[in-house]
């Protein structure tokens, strides 16, 4: 008695939660600013007949439901499949290719499963049920049915017939032999029993298992096709499986009798871990369920029952699928404890520079100039970067700098609540979700948001911004919590009880990561090309849950975050160091792993490419950004060192944008913060999704085992009022309201112009004091610098540094506009056309 009580206490301390969580809320989003709207591509009505939305949009089987309803689905792996008018087609690609950029296994259709009575009417198939991973599809004709249990990870395709005559049609060549008997074209052969073997003319072998005895007749219809048809109506189960190697038959023979029909997703939590649980519903003894694992499963599975990898295996674009026995998988993950702040204080060597940048960047945020949203994606990325400034200010004890950021964020966020706004969120009624209203019937708006593309990317930013506001403004939270929850429910609803949103829209629980693709283009192939923003989707949800929801949703968001990071590390990060023969190496080919990072992971191919860019630094950066403290785990040392050397030719190339370099430098700081700090001083443009402050704050809060100060002495422009003197001949730079060009023509200090040199992070501006006009440098590098701008933007920024090799106090000047150095022409004009530091003229800055 006493003992079991202790056990119960221990158990309740260990398990803070177990089971499917309740809905975040069940209230209707109809009151959202854009009201309700219908997507231009609603689900195929015959497919969901008898079922009501919400429906999954980004799942592997979205092509079954998205019009026209017959595109190739991303599974159930190891198979890919499609629902045709006349049956379920499926196959396993054996054509693995590497073209130097991508690993590809083009979809292959081996067989079609149907029954003889089916009319071929497209409307005569429907979904009868689905869960977080599986879907059950029924083909029907009168009283005859074939029910397909489409379960990712099952080596067998499972078809249950009721009063129907099973019919399998070969789609990849003629039938060459059936149960060992060779068939000439036109010939037939019959066999009765529970196990059959068929070989087609492409050389592929399939096994057909019947759970009760059946008579099948194979007919070599033509040189291109063949059929296997039962002798009559059958009520029972067939399991069809590709035999990739003769040595696999023993295991397949042993376990075919137990089949999965559905799966329950479950999870349990301790303070530091989350266990993801797959619990398959089976017919037959669950302990004898034979399934296939991906590498990420094998890495995390607890107490697995793995047969030898030689017993069964299929090579997919995610590496080898190998067998596991049993109907419950428990995958254990270490959850992060990082939320708003990094897990250590800012290195004191970086404090002054970070604070100076913070004051500057917060000073730029004028609430009356807060952006009016013009889209979801760029608005979110930009505002989330500004929101980090409030968190950094708070971390550094500068509450005076928090409030201005919050005011700015609130001013911009307010547009999402107004029905008069030009960009509006609306509730989409045919699938069930919040979309960009303007994109409801136009897939080209906002990266296809209206067709359910990229919601976790977009709403992760929304939730980050909202969470930061809510952290510092409880009234705002109270006022807008239900509204913001509509965005949270759109991407992390955990429950089938939410009447408005599908479960965790983007996550493919079996694949171990999310898909960005929604239902556009028939939901064709699935892809995700920004693992960084996918992770951020769940990070935004974690922050929101931390401030607005209960611990259950904090745990759930943390599990999503942690698993997405792990998926990125297994399938996006490439490690040339990995053992080519390693069981859990998803890319056995060394040449693939030499590419260091995947750009896009799809269902049938993965490659170092992007839809929008080809540079190495872009491909790597989109897997890194946005930089937040929670990515301490993601930026693992081996990978960031690989990325550092792989992208180095671009990191020193002035034609490659700083906005990509800056995030690579940040990721690298996780391995070497001192070097990253030095390199970060080269950056003068952080793009819209990053700030100077966040860049250096991240670097300054890295693990630092050596204890060496991280920031050292970071170079700065000389700031103050100066006359600028050309070192070579002693002439001073002149400029005036009449002659606005900068020309080194003044032979005396009294004839020289006075410039105010002011701080901008890592660089500065030069203002002609007599006219209050900023000096600008044309991007062409063909014209003299001129003091002609009333306000300073990026073309009015210069990096002024001690010139290498020159005597102390002689500086080079680099223009931010084109990354080129300032030289002096024969007429004395200052022109930003010097290719490198050595080409720069030397200038002295004489205090004025
Ligand atoms: C898919 O459906 C469309 C529209 O009904 C049809 O035109 C097309 O032929 C179908 N494709 C296949 C492979 O069945
Ligand atoms: C950036 O900074 C590092 C270290 O200070 C330097 O070695 C490197 O050459 C710089 N790269 C460019 C492109 O300026």
């Amino acid at each position: 008695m006493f003992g079991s009580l202790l056990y119960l206490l221990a158990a309740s301390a260990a398990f803070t939660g177990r089971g499917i969580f309740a809905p975040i809320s069940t209230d209707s989003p109809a009151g959202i600013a854009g009201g309700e709207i219908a997507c231009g591509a609603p689900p195929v009505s015959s497919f969901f007949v008898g079922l009501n939305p919400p429906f999954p949009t980004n799942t592997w089987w979205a092509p079954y439901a998205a019009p026209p309803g017959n595109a190739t689905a991303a599974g159930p792996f190891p198979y890919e499949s499609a629902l045709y008018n006349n049956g379920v087609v499926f196959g396993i690609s054996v054509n693995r290719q590497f073209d130097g950029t991508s690993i590809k296994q083009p979809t292959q259709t081996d067989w079609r499963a149907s029954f003889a009575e089916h009319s071929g009417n497209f409307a005569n198939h429907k979904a009868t049920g689905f869960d977080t991973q599986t879907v059950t599809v029924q083909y029907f004709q009168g009283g005859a049915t074939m029910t397909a249990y489409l379960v990712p990870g099952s080596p067998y395709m499972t078809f249950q017939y009721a009063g129907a005559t099973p019919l399998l049609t070969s789609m990849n060549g003629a039938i060459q032999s059936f149960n060992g008997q060779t068939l000439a074209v036109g010939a037939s052969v019959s066999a009765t029993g529970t196990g059959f073997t068929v070989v087609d003319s492409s050389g592929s072998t399939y096994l057909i298992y019947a759970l009760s005895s059946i008579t099948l007749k194979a007919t070599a219809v033509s040189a291109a096709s063949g059929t296997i048809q039962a002798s009559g109506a059958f009520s029972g189960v067939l399991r069809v499986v590709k035999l990739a190697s003769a040595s696999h038959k023993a295991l397949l023979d042993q376990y075919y009798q137990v089949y999965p029909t559905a799966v329950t997703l479950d999870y349990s939590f301790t303070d530091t871990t989350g266990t993801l649980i797959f619990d398959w519903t089976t017919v037959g003894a669950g302990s004898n369920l034979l399934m296939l694992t991906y590498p990420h499963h094998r890495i995390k599975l607890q107490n697995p029952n793995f047969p030898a990898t030689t017993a069964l295996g299929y090579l997919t674009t995610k590496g080898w699928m190998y067998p596991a026995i049993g109907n419950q998988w428990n995958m254990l993950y270490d959850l992060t404890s990082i939320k708003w702040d990094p897990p250590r204080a800012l290195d004191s060597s970086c404090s002054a520079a970070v604070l100076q940048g913070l004051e500057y960047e917060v000073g730029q945020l004028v609430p009356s100039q807060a952006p009016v949203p013009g889209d979801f994606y760029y608005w979110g990325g930009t505002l989330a970067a500004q929101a980090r400034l409030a968190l950094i200010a708070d971390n550094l004890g500068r509450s005076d700098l928090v409030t201005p950021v919050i005011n700015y964020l609130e001013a911009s966020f307010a547009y999402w609540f107004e029905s008069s706004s030009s960009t509006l969120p609306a509730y989409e009624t045919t699938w069930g979700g919040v979309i960009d209203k303007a994109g409801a019937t136009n897939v080209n708006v906002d990266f296809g948001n209206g067709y359910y593309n990229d919601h976790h990317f977009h709403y992760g930013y929304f939730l980050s911004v909202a969470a930061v506001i809510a952290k510092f403004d409880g009234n705002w939270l109270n006022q807008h919590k239900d509204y913001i929850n509509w965005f949270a429910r759109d991407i992390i609803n955990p429950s089938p009880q939410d009447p408005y949103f599908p479960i965790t829209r983007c996550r493919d629980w079996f694949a171990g990561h999310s898909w960005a693709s929604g239902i556009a283009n028939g939901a064709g192939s699935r892809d995700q090309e920004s693992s960084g923003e996918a992770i951020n989707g769940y990070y935004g949800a974690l922050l929101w849950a931390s401030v607005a929801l209960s611990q259950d949703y904090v745990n759930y968001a943390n599990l999503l975050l942690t698993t997405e990071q792990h998926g990125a590390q297994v399938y996006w990060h490439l490690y040339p160091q990995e053992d080519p023969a390693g069981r859990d190496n998803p890319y056995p080919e060394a040449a693939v792993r030499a590419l260091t990072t995947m750009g896009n992971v799809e269902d049938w191919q993965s490659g170092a490419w992007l839809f929008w860019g080809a540079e190495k630094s872009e491909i790597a950066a989109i897997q890194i950004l946005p930089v937040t403290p929670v990515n301490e785990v993601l930026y693992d040392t081996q990978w960031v060192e690989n990325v550092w050397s792989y992208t180095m030719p671009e990191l020193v190339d002035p034609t490659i944008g700083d906005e990509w370099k800056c995030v690579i430098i940040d990721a690298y700081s996780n391995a070497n913060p001192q070097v990253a700090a030095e390199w970060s001083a080269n950056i003068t443009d952080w793009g819209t999704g990053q700030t100077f402050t966040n860049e250096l704050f991240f670097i300054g809060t890295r693990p630092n085992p050596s204890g060496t100060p991280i920031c050292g002495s970071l170079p700065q422009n000389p700031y103050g009022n100066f006359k600028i003197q050309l070192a070579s001949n002693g002439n001073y730079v002149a400029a005036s309201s009449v002659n606005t060009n900068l020309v080194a023509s003044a032979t005396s200090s009294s004839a020289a112009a006075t410039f105010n040199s002011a701080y901008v992070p890592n660089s500065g501006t030069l203002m002609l004091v007599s006219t209050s006009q900023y000096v600008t440098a044309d991007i062409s590098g063909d014209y003299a610098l001129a003091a002609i701008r009333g306000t300073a933007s990026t073309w009015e920024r210069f990096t002024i540094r001690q010139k290498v090799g020159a005597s102390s106090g002689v500086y080079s000047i680099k223009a931010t506009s084109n990354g080129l150095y300032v030289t002096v022409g024969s007429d004395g004009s200052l022109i930003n056309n010097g290719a490198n530091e050595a080409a720069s003229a030397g200038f002295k800055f004489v205090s004025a």
Side-chain angles (χ1 to χ4, degrees), residues 55 132 150 169 264 280 294 312 361 387 416 512 569 687 732 769 803 828 832 842:
F55 297 123
T132 53
L150 298 150
T169 305
T264 300
W280 282 278
Y294 277 133
L312 189 62
E361 289 183 324
W416 296 121
Q569 284 175 311
Y732 287 91
V769 170
K803 185 166 161 56
N832 54 314

Side-chain angles (χ1 to χ4, degrees), residues 43-60:
V44 173
S45 58
S46 59
F47 185 67
F48 281 132
V49 67
L51 301 173
N52 294 314
F55 297 123
T57 51
N58 296 47
T59 176
W60 66 265

Side-chain angles (χ1 to χ4, degrees), residues 515-762:
W515 296 119
S517 328
I519 48 88
N521 306 318
S525 53
R526 308 280 83 192
D527 72 76
Q528 180 161 279
E529 70 169 10
S530 174
S531 54
E533 287 178 308
I535 290 161
N536 190 62
Y538 304 123
Y539 179 54
L542 174 67
L543 296 183
W544 176 248
S546 301
V547 72
L549 304 174
S550 72
Q551 184 63 31
D552 279 354
Y553 305 106
V554 174
N555 285 338
Y556 191 63
N558 202 334
L559 184 64
L560 284 162
L561 167 71
T562 301
T563 47
E564 195 77 26
Q565 285 183 328
H566 188 243
Q569 284 175 311
V570 176
Y571 300 114
W572 275 258
H573 295 190
L574 304 173
Y575 302 89
Q577 297 81 359
E578 206 165 345
D579 174 5
R583 182 192 70 173
D584 302 332
N585 177 352
Y587 307 106
E589 299 88 348
V592 177
R593 283 176 288 108
L595 297 169
T596 306
T597 179
M598 286 300 176
N600 202 326
V601 169
E602 298 194 355
D603 53 325
W604 67 277
Q605 67 167 344
S606 294
W609 56 272
L610 301 170
F611 289 125
W612 49 271
E615 307 295 351
K616 293 172 176 177
S617 49
E618 294 170 332
I619 294 168
I622 200 73
Q623 316 313 330
I624 295 170
L625 62 81
V627 175
T628 68
V630 85
N631 282 339
E632 182 153 330
V633 174
L634 180 71
Y635 308 152
D636 60 274
T637 303
Q638 185 66 74
W639 184 64
V640 298
E641 282 175 347
N642 292 344
V643 168
W644 189 248
S645 46
Y646 185 67
T647 59
M648 184 48 70
E650 295 183 9
L651 296 180
V652 296
D653 178 347
T655 68
I656 302 287
D658 270 7
E659 69 271 34
W660 310 117
K661 295 174 184 171
C662 72
V663 295
I664 292 171
I665 291 168
D666 251 3
Y668 182 65
S669 72
N670 227 21
N672 194 333
Q674 287 81 8
V675 169
E678 282 176 29
W679 281 74
S680 78
N682 294 344
I683 301 296
T684 51
D685 175 11
W686 294 267
T688 54
Q690 173 73 316
T691 59
F692 164 85
T693 304
N694 192 55
E695 174 91 11
L696 196 59
F697 180 77
F698 188 82
I699 293 170
T701 53
R702 293 308 82 212
N704 184 18
S706 77
T708 311
I710 290 176
C711 284
S713 60
L714 296 174
Q716 289 204 321
N717 288 9
Y719 299 119
N721 281 356
F722 297 104
K723 296 181 175 184
I724 303 174
Q725 189 179 23
L726 186 59
S728 60
N729 63 6
N731 279 1
Y732 287 91
V733 174
S736 68
S737 58
V738 182
N739 297 312
T740 53
N741 285 357
L742 274 62
V743 183
S745 57
T747 51
S748 72
S749 166
S750 56
T754 299
F755 295 92
N756 178 261
S757 167
Y759 172 85
V760 167
N762 283 345

Side-chain angles (χ1 to χ4, degrees), residues 156 178-179 191-197 206-216 234 237-241 249 252-257:
Y156 316 85
F178 186 63
N179 276 5
T192 299
T194 56
F196 308 85
T197 305
Y206 272 72
L207 305 176
I208 303 164
Y209 295 100
L211 268 59
S212 50
S213 182
I214 192 169
T215 299
L216 296 178
F234 175 69
V237 172
L238 295 186
R239 305 198 77 196
V240 183
V241 52
K249 189 164 184 300
L252 293 167
D253 280 351
Q254 193 180 348
Y255 289 104
Y256 75 86
Q257 293 180 68

Side-chain angles (χ1 to χ4, degrees), residues 431-445:
W431 296 89
V434 169
I435 63 164
D436 180 337
K437 187 173 190 176
T441 56
N442 183 350
V443 74
N444 296 315
V445 170

Side-chain angles (χ1 to χ4, degrees), residues 389-448:
L389 297 176
L391 296 176
I392 294 169
D394 184 51
N395 180 276
L396 298 178
R398 289 292 302 269
S399 53
D400 60 311
L401 295 176
V402 173
T403 312
V405 181
I406 301 305
N407 290 342
Y408 180 87
L409 300 177
E410 287 182 1
S412 191
F413 213 110
Y415 292 99
W416 296 121
F417 305 129
E418 303 297 335
S419 58
S420 57
S421 294
S422 51
T423 303
L424 285 168
Y427 182 73
E428 196 285 311
T429 52
T430 73
W431 296 89
V434 169
I435 63 164
D436 180 337
K437 187 173 190 176
T441 56
N442 183 350
V443 74
N444 296 315
V445 170
D446 225 342
F447 302 94

